[in-house]
Amino acid sequence: MATKPKTLELTVLSAEGLHVRGKPTPNIKVFAVVRAESITSHTTAMVTTTTTNGSDNGFQYLWNDKFWVELGPRARCVTIEVKCRTETGVVRDVGVARIAVSDFLGGSSVPDHCLQSLCYRLRDWDGRENGVVNFSVRVAVPPAAAENDCSSSSGGVVTAIPVYLNNSIDN
């Protein structure tokens, strides 16, 4: 059964605990690519390490980049790929997270329009764990629904309850 296409408001927040070829990634440039089972993709800005807590997993990359992702009627997953650019300019895959659409739409107890913050384990192409990506997602409110808000004066039908100034109905 096909459903209507939806637009997701997806914000890629951060990634942490990344490794390239089994080594921590303290001084490389990292970016993320977001797709929803289509050829259209969204790419974050390239960032370097922002914090460290002294351990080899302490490197964190912050983006806070927001995208509006078109989710087709038959889409089953959203993919977030984290990639890096080495000192020599080579782009390498760091890890990928495939997020089932059912994890944040429909089946949960949270309404679709509410913001959900999620963390997913990244895996490299060999299936090994390789860090975590943090993001938030919700269904974007369509412009037509925003126009039908009570604050708009679109000339539609208004239902009102009369208010008596003297609070006396007996007169």
Coordinates of all heavy atoms in Angstrom, one line a residue, residues 36-121:
A36 N 17.6 9.3 1.3 CA 16.4 8.6 1.7 C 15.9 7.8 0.5 O 15.0 8.1 -0.2 CB 15.3 9.5 2.1
E37 N 16.7 6.7 0.2 CA 16.4 5.8 -1.0 C 16.2 6.6 -2.3 O 15.2 6.3 -3.0 CB 15.3 4.9 -0.6 CG 15.7 3.8 0.4 CD 14.6 2.8 0.6 OE1 13.6 2.8 -0.1 OE2 14.8 1.9 1.4
S38 N 17.0 7.5 -2.5 CA 16.9 8.3 -3.8 C 18.3 8.7 -4.2 O 19.2 8.6 -3.5 CB 16.0 9.5 -3.6 OG 16.6 10.5 -2.9
I39 N 18.4 9.3 -5.4 CA 19.7 9.8 -5.9 C 20.0 11.1 -5.3 O 21.1 11.6 -5.3 CB 19.8 9.8 -7.4 CG1 18.6 10.6 -8.0 CG2 19.7 8.4 -8.0 CD1 18.8 10.8 -9.5
T40 N 18.9 11.8 -4.7 CA 19.1 13.1 -4.1 C 19.8 12.9 -2.8 O 19.4 12.1 -1.9 CB 17.8 13.8 -3.9 OG1 17.1 13.9 -5.1 CG2 18.0 15.2 -3.3
S41 N 20.9 13.7 -2.5 CA 21.6 13.5 -1.3 C 21.8 14.9 -0.7 O 21.8 15.9 -1.4 CB 22.9 12.8 -1.4 OG 23.8 13.5 -2.3
H42 N 22.1 15.0 0.6 CA 22.4 16.2 1.3 C 23.7 16.0 2.0 O 23.9 15.0 2.7 CB 21.3 16.6 2.3 CG 19.9 16.6 1.7 ND1 19.4 17.7 1.0 CD2 19.0 15.6 1.6 CE1 18.2 17.4 0.5 NE2 17.9 16.2 0.9
T43 N 24.6 17.0 1.9 CA 25.9 16.9 2.5 C 26.1 18.0 3.6 O 25.9 19.2 3.3 CB 27.0 17.0 1.4 OG1 26.7 16.0 0.4 CG2 28.4 16.8 2.0
T44 N 26.7 17.6 4.7 CA 27.0 18.6 5.8 C 28.3 19.3 5.4 O 29.0 18.9 4.5 CB 27.2 17.9 7.1 OG1 28.3 17.0 7.0 CG2 26.0 17.1 7.5
A45 N 28.6 20.3 6.2 CA 29.9 21.0 6.1 C 31.0 20.1 6.6 O 30.7 19.1 7.4 CB 29.9 22.3 6.9
M46 N 32.2 20.3 6.1 CA 33.3 19.5 6.6 C 33.8 20.1 7.9 O 34.0 21.3 8.0 CB 34.4 19.6 5.5 CG 35.3 18.3 5.5 SD 36.4 18.2 4.2 CE 35.3 18.0 2.8
V47 N 34.0 19.3 8.9 CA 34.5 19.7 10.2 C 35.7 18.9 10.7 O 35.9 17.8 10.2 CB 33.4 19.7 11.3 CG1 32.2 20.6 11.0 CG2 32.8 18.3 11.5
T48 N 36.4 19.5 11.6 CA 37.5 18.7 12.3 C 37.1 18.5 13.7 O 36.1 19.0 14.2 CB 38.8 19.5 12.2 OG1 38.6 20.8 12.8 CG2 39.3 19.6 10.8
T49 N 38.0 17.8 14.5 CA 37.7 17.5 15.9 C 37.3 18.7 16.7 O 38.0 19.8 16.6 CB 38.9 16.8 16.5 OG1 39.3 15.7 15.7 CG2 38.6 16.3 17.9
T50 N 36.3 18.6 17.5 CA 35.9 19.8 18.4 C 36.3 19.6 19.8 O 36.6 20.5 20.5 CB 34.4 20.0 18.2 OG1 33.7 18.8 18.6 CG2 34.0 20.5 16.8
T51 N 36.2 18.3 20.3 CA 36.5 18.1 21.7 C 37.2 16.7 21.8 O 37.1 15.9 20.9 CB 35.2 18.0 22.6 OG1 34.4 16.9 22.1 CG2 34.5 19.3 22.5
T52 N 37.8 16.5 22.9 CA 38.4 15.2 23.3 C 38.4 15.1 24.8 O 38.5 16.0 25.5 CB 39.9 15.1 22.7 OG1 40.3 13.8 23.1 CG2 40.8 16.1 23.4
N53 N 38.1 13.9 25.2 CA 38.1 13.6 26.7 C 39.2 12.8 27.1 O 39.2 12.2 28.2 CB 36.7 13.0 27.0 CG 36.5 11.6 26.4 OD1 37.5 11.0 25.9 ND2 35.3 11.1 26.6
G54 N 40.3 12.7 26.3 CA 41.5 11.9 26.7 C 41.5 10.5 26.3 O 42.6 9.9 26.4
S55 N 40.4 9.9 25.9 CA 40.5 8.5 25.5 C 40.5 8.5 23.9 O 40.3 9.5 23.3 CB 39.2 7.8 26.0 OG 38.1 8.2 25.3
D56 N 40.8 7.3 23.4 CA 40.8 7.2 21.9 C 39.4 7.3 21.3 O 39.3 7.5 20.1 CB 41.5 5.9 21.5 CG 40.8 4.7 21.9 OD1 39.9 4.8 22.8 OD2 41.2 3.6 21.5
N57 N 38.4 7.2 22.0 CA 37.0 7.4 21.5 C 36.5 8.8 21.8 O 35.3 9.1 21.5 CB 36.0 6.4 22.2 CG 36.0 5.1 21.4 OD1 36.6 5.0 20.4 ND2 35.3 4.1 21.9
G58 N 37.3 9.7 22.3 CA 36.8 11.0 22.8 C 36.7 12.0 21.7 O 36.2 13.1 22.0
F59 N 37.0 11.8 20.5 CA 37.0 12.8 19.4 C 35.5 12.9 19.0 O 34.8 12.0 18.7 CB 37.8 12.4 18.2 CG 39.3 12.2 18.6 CD1 39.8 11.0 18.6 CD2 40.0 13.3 19.1 CE1 41.2 10.8 19.0 CE2 41.4 13.1 19.4 CZ 41.9 11.8 19.4
Q60 N 35.1 14.2 18.9 CA 33.7 14.5 18.5 C 33.6 15.5 17.4 O 34.4 16.4 17.4 CB 32.9 14.9 19.7 CG 31.4 15.1 19.4 CD 30.6 15.4 20.7 OE1 31.2 16.0 21.6 NE2 29.4 15.1 20.7
Y61 N 32.7 15.3 16.5 CA 32.6 16.2 15.4 C 31.2 16.8 15.4 O 30.2 16.0 15.5 CB 32.8 15.5 14.0 CG 34.2 14.8 14.0 CD1 34.4 13.6 14.5 CD2 35.2 15.5 13.4 CE1 35.6 13.0 14.5 CE2 36.5 15.0 13.4 CZ 36.7 13.7 13.9 OH 37.9 13.2 13.9
L62 N 31.0 18.1 15.4 CA 29.7 18.8 15.5 C 29.3 19.4 14.2 O 30.1 20.2 13.7 CB 29.8 19.8 16.7 CG 30.1 19.3 18.0 CD1 30.2 20.5 19.0 CD2 29.1 18.3 18.5
W63 N 28.1 19.2 13.8 CA 27.6 19.8 12.6 C 26.4 20.7 12.9 O 26.4 21.9 12.5 CB 27.2 18.8 11.5 CG 28.3 18.0 10.9 CD1 29.2 18.5 10.0 CD2 28.6 16.7 11.1 NE1 30.0 17.5 9.7 CE2 29.7 16.4 10.3 CE3 28.1 15.7 11.9 CZ2 30.3 15.1 10.3 CZ3 28.7 14.4 11.9 CH2 29.8 14.2 11.0
N64 N 25.4 20.2 13.4 CA 24.1 20.8 13.6 C 23.5 21.4 12.3 O 23.0 22.5 12.2 CB 24.2 22.0 14.6 CG 22.9 22.3 15.3 OD1 22.0 21.5 15.3 ND2 22.8 23.5 15.8
D65 N 23.7 20.6 11.2 CA 23.2 21.0 9.9 C 21.8 20.4 9.7 O 21.6 19.2 9.8 CB 24.1 20.5 8.8 CG 25.4 21.3 8.7 OD1 25.5 22.3 9.4 OD2 26.3 20.9 7.9
K66 N 20.8 21.2 9.3 CA 19.5 20.8 9.1 C 19.2 20.7 7.6 O 19.5 21.5 6.8 CB 18.5 21.9 9.7 CG 17.1 21.5 9.6 CD 16.2 22.6 10.2 CE 16.5 22.7 11.7 NZ 15.5 23.6 12.4
F67 N 18.5 19.6 7.2 CA 18.1 19.3 5.9 C 16.6 19.0 5.8 O 16.0 18.4 6.7 CB 18.9 18.1 5.3 CG 20.4 18.3 5.4 CD1 21.1 17.6 6.3 CD2 21.0 19.2 4.5 CE1 22.5 17.7 6.3 CE2 22.4 19.3 4.5 CZ 23.1 18.6 5.4
W68 N 16.0 19.2 4.7 CA 14.6 18.8 4.4 C 14.7 17.7 3.4 O 15.1 17.9 2.2 CB 13.8 20.0 3.9 CG 13.3 20.8 5.0 CD1 12.2 20.7 5.7 CD2 14.1 21.9 5.7 NE1 12.2 21.6 6.8 CE2 13.3 22.3 6.7 CE3 15.3 22.4 5.5 CZ2 13.7 23.3 7.6 CZ3 15.8 23.4 6.3 CH2 15.0 23.9 7.3
V69 N 14.5 16.5 3.8 CA 14.7 15.3 3.0 C 13.3 14.8 2.5 O 12.4 14.5 3.3 CB 15.4 14.2 3.9 CG1 15.6 12.9 3.1 CG2 16.7 14.7 4.4
E70 N 13.2 14.7 1.2 CA 12.0 14.1 0.6 C 12.0 12.6 0.8 O 12.9 11.9 0.4 CB 11.9 14.5 -0.9 CG 11.7 15.9 -1.2 CD 10.4 16.5 -0.6 OE1 9.4 15.8 -0.7 OE2 10.4 17.6 -0.2
L71 N 10.9 12.1 1.4 CA 10.8 10.7 1.7 C 9.7 10.1 0.8 O 8.5 10.5 0.9 CB 10.4 10.5 3.2 CG 10.4 9.0 3.7 CD1 11.8 8.5 3.6 CD2 9.9 9.0 5.1
G72 N 10.1 9.3 -0.2 CA 9.2 8.8 -1.2 C 8.1 7.9 -0.5 O 8.3 7.4 0.6
P73 N 7.0 7.6 -1.2 CA 6.0 6.8 -0.6 C 6.4 5.4 -0.3 O 5.7 4.8 0.5 CB 4.9 6.9 -1.7 CG 5.5 7.3 -3.0 CD 6.7 8.1 -2.6
R74 N 7.4 4.9 -0.9 CA 7.8 3.5 -0.7 C 9.1 3.4 0.0 O 9.7 2.3 0.1 CB 7.8 2.7 -2.0 CG 6.4 2.6 -2.6 CD 6.5 1.7 -3.8 NE 5.3 1.8 -4.6 CZ 4.2 1.1 -4.3 NH1 4.1 0.3 -3.3 NH2 3.1 1.2 -5.1
A75 N 9.7 4.5 0.5 CA 11.0 4.5 1.1 C 10.9 3.7 2.4 O 10.0 3.9 3.2 CB 11.5 5.9 1.4
R76 N 11.9 2.9 2.7 CA 12.0 2.1 3.9 C 13.1 2.5 4.8 O 13.1 2.1 6.0 CB 12.2 0.6 3.5 CG 11.0 0.0 2.8 CD 11.3 -1.4 2.4 NE 12.5 -1.4 1.6 CZ 12.8 -2.1 0.6 NH1 12.0 -3.0 0.2 NH2 14.0 -2.1 -0.1
C77 N 14.1 3.3 4.3 CA 15.2 3.7 5.2 C 15.8 5.0 4.8 O 15.6 5.4 3.6 CB 16.2 2.6 5.3 SG 17.3 2.4 3.9
V78 N 16.4 5.6 5.7 CA 17.2 6.8 5.5 C 18.7 6.4 5.8 O 18.9 5.7 6.8 CB 16.8 8.0 6.5 CG1 17.7 9.1 6.4 CG2 15.4 8.4 6.2
T79 N 19.6 6.8 5.0 CA 21.0 6.4 5.2 C 21.8 7.7 5.5 O 21.7 8.7 4.8 CB 21.5 5.8 3.9 OG1 20.7 4.7 3.5 CG2 23.0 5.4 4.0
I80 N 22.6 7.6 6.5 CA 23.6 8.6 6.9 C 25.0 8.0 6.7 O 25.3 7.1 7.4 CB 23.4 9.2 8.3 CG1 22.0 9.7 8.4 CG2 24.5 10.2 8.6 CD1 21.7 10.2 9.8
E81 N 25.8 8.5 5.8 CA 27.1 8.1 5.6 C 28.1 9.1 6.1 O 27.9 10.3 5.9 CB 27.4 7.9 4.1 CG 26.6 6.9 3.4 CD 26.9 6.8 1.9 OE1 28.1 6.9 1.5 OE2 25.9 6.8 1.1
V82 N 29.1 8.7 6.9 CA 30.1 9.6 7.4 C 31.4 9.3 6.6 O 31.8 8.2 6.5 CB 30.3 9.5 8.9 CG1 31.5 10.3 9.4 CG2 29.0 9.8 9.7
K83 N 31.9 10.4 6.0 CA 33.1 10.3 5.2 C 34.2 11.2 5.7 O 33.9 12.1 6.5 CB 32.8 10.6 3.8 CG 31.8 9.6 3.1 CD 31.4 10.1 1.7 CE 30.4 9.1 1.1 NZ 31.0 8.0 0.5
C84 N 35.4 11.0 5.3 CA 36.5 11.9 5.7 C 37.4 12.2 4.5 O 37.4 11.5 3.5 CB 37.3 11.3 6.8 SG 38.4 9.9 6.3
R85 N 38.1 13.3 4.6 CA 39.0 13.7 3.6 C 40.4 13.7 4.3 O 40.6 14.4 5.3 CB 38.7 15.1 3.0 CG 39.8 15.5 2.0 CD 39.3 16.6 1.2 NE 38.3 16.1 0.3 CZ 37.5 16.9 -0.4 NH1 37.6 18.1 -0.4 NH2 36.6 16.3 -1.2
T86 N 41.3 12.9 3.8 CA 42.6 12.8 4.4 C 43.5 14.0 4.1 O 43.1 14.8 3.3 CB 43.3 11.5 4.0 OG1 43.5 11.6 2.6 CG2 42.5 10.3 4.3
E87 N 44.7 14.0 4.7 CA 45.6 15.1 4.4 C 46.0 15.2 2.9 O 46.3 16.2 2.4 CB 46.9 15.0 5.2 CG 46.7 15.2 6.7 CD 46.3 13.9 7.4 OE1 46.4 12.8 6.8 OE2 45.9 14.0 8.6
T88 N 46.0 14.0 2.2 CA 46.3 14.0 0.8 C 45.1 14.3 -0.1 O 45.3 14.3 -1.3 CB 46.9 12.6 0.4 OG1 45.9 11.6 0.7 CG2 48.1 12.3 1.2
G89 N 43.9 14.5 0.5 CA 42.8 14.9 -0.3 C 41.9 13.7 -0.7 O 40.9 13.9 -1.4
V90 N 42.2 12.5 -0.3 CA 41.5 11.3 -0.6 C 40.2 11.3 0.3 O 40.3 11.5 1.5 CB 42.3 10.1 -0.4 CG1 41.5 8.8 -0.7 CG2 43.5 10.1 -1.3
V91 N 39.0 11.0 -0.3 CA 37.8 10.9 0.4 C 37.6 9.4 0.7 O 37.7 8.5 -0.1 CB 36.6 11.4 -0.4 CG1 35.3 11.1 0.4 CG2 36.7 12.9 -0.6
R92 N 37.5 9.1 2.0 CA 37.3 7.7 2.5 C 36.0 7.6 3.2 O 35.5 8.5 3.9 CB 38.4 7.3 3.5 CG 39.8 7.3 2.9 CD 40.7 6.6 3.8 NE 42.1 6.7 3.5 CZ 42.7 6.0 2.6 NH1 42.1 5.0 2.0 NH2 44.0 6.2 2.3
D93 N 35.4 6.4 3.1 CA 34.2 6.1 3.9 C 34.6 5.7 5.3 O 35.5 4.9 5.5 CB 33.4 4.9 3.3 CG 32.9 5.2 1.9 OD1 32.4 6.3 1.7 OD2 32.9 4.3 1.0
V94 N 33.9 6.4 6.3 CA 34.2 6.1 7.7 C 33.2 5.0 8.2 O 33.5 4.0 8.8 CB 34.2 7.3 8.5 CG1 34.4 7.0 10.0 CG2 35.3 8.3 8.1
G95 N 31.9 5.3 7.9 CA 30.9 4.4 8.4 C 29.5 4.8 7.8 O 29.3 6.0 7.3
V96 N 28.6 3.9 7.9 CA 27.2 4.2 7.4 C 26.2 3.7 8.4 O 26.4 2.7 9.1 CB 27.0 3.5 6.1 CG1 27.1 2.0 6.2 CG2 25.7 3.9 5.4
A97 N 25.1 4.4 8.6 CA 24.0 4.0 9.4 C 22.8 4.0 8.5 O 22.5 5.0 7.9 CB 23.8 5.0 10.6
R98 N 22.1 2.9 8.5 CA 20.8 2.8 7.8 C 19.7 2.7 8.8 O 19.6 1.8 9.7 CB 20.8 1.5 7.0 CG 21.7 1.6 5.8 CD 21.6 0.5 4.8 NE 22.4 0.6 3.7 CZ 23.7 0.3 3.7 NH1 24.3 -0.1 4.7 NH2 24.4 0.5 2.6
I99 N 18.8 3.7 8.8 CA 17.8 3.9 9.8 C 16.5 3.6 9.1 O 16.1 4.2 8.2 CB 17.8 5.4 10.3 CG1 19.1 5.7 10.9 CG2 16.6 5.6 11.3 CD1 20.0 6.6 10.0
A100 N 15.8 2.6 9.7 CA 14.5 2.2 9.2 C 13.5 3.3 9.4 O 13.4 3.9 10.5 CB 14.0 0.9 9.9
V101 N 12.7 3.7 8.4 CA 11.7 4.7 8.5 C 10.7 4.4 9.7 O 10.3 5.3 10.4 CB 11.0 4.9 7.2 CG1 9.8 5.9 7.3 CG2 12.0 5.5 6.2
S102 N 10.4 3.1 9.9 CA 9.5 2.7 10.9 C 10.0 3.0 12.3 O 9.2 3.1 13.3 CB 9.2 1.3 10.8 OG 10.3 0.5 10.9
D103 N 11.3 3.3 12.5 CA 11.9 3.7 13.8 C 11.4 5.0 14.2 O 11.4 5.3 15.4 CB 13.4 3.6 13.7 CG 14.0 2.2 13.7 OD1 13.2 1.3 13.8 OD2 15.2 2.1 13.6
F104 N 11.1 5.9 13.3 CA 10.6 7.2 13.8 C 9.3 7.7 13.1 O 8.8 8.8 13.5 CB 11.7 8.3 13.5 CG 12.2 8.3 12.1 CD1 11.5 9.0 11.1 CD2 13.3 7.6 11.7 CE1 12.0 9.1 9.8 CE2 13.8 7.7 10.4 CZ 13.1 8.4 9.4
L105 N 8.7 6.9 12.3 CA 7.4 7.2 11.7 C 6.4 6.1 12.0 O 6.7 4.9 11.9 CB 7.5 7.4 10.2 CG 8.2 8.6 9.7 CD1 8.1 8.6 8.2 CD2 7.5 9.9 10.2
G106 N 5.2 6.5 12.3 CA 4.1 5.5 12.4 C 4.0 4.6 13.6 O 3.2 4.8 14.5
G107 N 5.0 3.7 13.8 CA 4.8 2.7 14.8 C 5.2 3.1 16.2 O 4.8 2.5 17.2
S108 N 5.8 4.3 16.4 CA 6.2 4.7 17.8 C 5.1 5.4 18.5 O 4.1 5.8 17.9 CB 7.4 5.6 17.7 OG 7.1 6.8 17.2
S109 N 5.3 5.6 19.8 CA 4.3 6.3 20.6 C 4.4 7.9 20.4 O 3.6 8.6 21.0 CB 4.4 5.9 22.0 OG 5.7 6.3 22.5
V110 N 5.4 8.3 19.7 CA 5.6 9.7 19.5 C 5.0 10.2 18.2 O 5.2 9.5 17.1 CB 7.2 10.0 19.4 CG1 7.4 11.5 19.2 CG2 7.8 9.5 20.7
P111 N 4.2 11.2 18.2 CA 3.6 11.7 16.9 C 4.6 12.1 15.9 O 5.7 12.6 16.3 CB 2.7 12.9 17.3 CG 2.5 12.8 18.8 CD 3.7 12.0 19.3
D112 N 4.3 12.0 14.6 CA 5.3 12.2 13.6 C 5.9 13.7 13.6 O 7.0 13.9 13.2 CB 4.7 12.0 12.2 CG 4.4 10.5 11.9 OD1 4.9 9.7 12.7 OD2 3.7 10.2 11.0
H113 N 5.0 14.6 14.0 CA 5.5 16.0 13.9 C 6.4 16.4 15.1 O 6.9 17.5 15.2 CB 4.3 17.0 13.8 CG 3.4 17.0 15.1 ND1 2.5 16.0 15.3 CD2 3.4 17.8 16.2 CE1 1.9 16.2 16.5 NE2 2.4 17.3 17.0
C114 N 6.5 15.5 16.1 CA 7.4 15.8 17.3 C 8.8 15.5 17.0 O 9.1 14.5 16.3 CB 6.9 15.0 18.5 SG 5.3 15.6 19.1
L115 N 9.7 16.3 17.5 CA 11.1 16.1 17.2 C 11.6 15.0 18.1 O 11.4 14.9 19.2 CB 11.9 17.4 17.6 CG 13.4 17.5 17.3 CD1 13.6 17.5 15.8 CD2 14.0 18.7 17.9
Q116 N 12.4 14.1 17.4 CA 13.0 12.9 18.1 C 14.5 12.9 17.9 O 14.9 13.1 16.8 CB 12.4 11.6 17.5 CG 10.9 11.4 17.6 CD 10.5 10.2 16.9 OE1 10.9 9.1 17.4 NE2 9.6 10.3 15.9
S117 N 15.2 12.8 19.0 CA 16.7 12.8 18.9 C 17.1 11.3 19.0 O 16.7 10.6 19.9 CB 17.3 13.5 20.1 OG 17.0 14.9 19.9
L118 N 17.9 10.9 18.0 CA 18.3 9.5 17.9 C 19.8 9.4 17.7 O 20.5 10.3 17.2 CB 17.6 8.9 16.7 CG 16.1 8.9 16.6 CD1 15.6 8.6 15.3 CD2 15.5 8.0 17.7
C119 N 20.3 8.2 18.2 CA 21.8 7.9 18.0 C 21.8 6.5 17.3 O 21.1 5.6 17.8 CB 22.5 7.8 19.3 SG 22.4 9.3 20.3
Y120 N 22.6 6.4 16.3 CA 22.8 5.1 15.6 C 24.3 4.8 15.5 O 25.1 5.7 15.2 CB 22.1 5.2 14.2 CG 20.7 4.8 14.3 CD1 19.7 5.7 14.7 CD2 20.3 3.5 13.9 CE1 18.4 5.3 14.8 CE2 18.9 3.2 14.0 CZ 18.0 4.1 14.4 OH 16.7 3.7 14.5
R121 N 24.5 3.5 15.6 CA 25.9 3.0 15.5 C 26.3 3.0 14.0 O 25.5 2.6 13.1 CB 25.9 1.6 16.0 CG 27.2 0.8 15.7 CD 28.4 1.2 16.5 NE 28.1 1.0 18.0 CZ 28.9 1.6 18.9 NH1 29.9 2.3 18.5 NH2 28.7 1.4 20.1

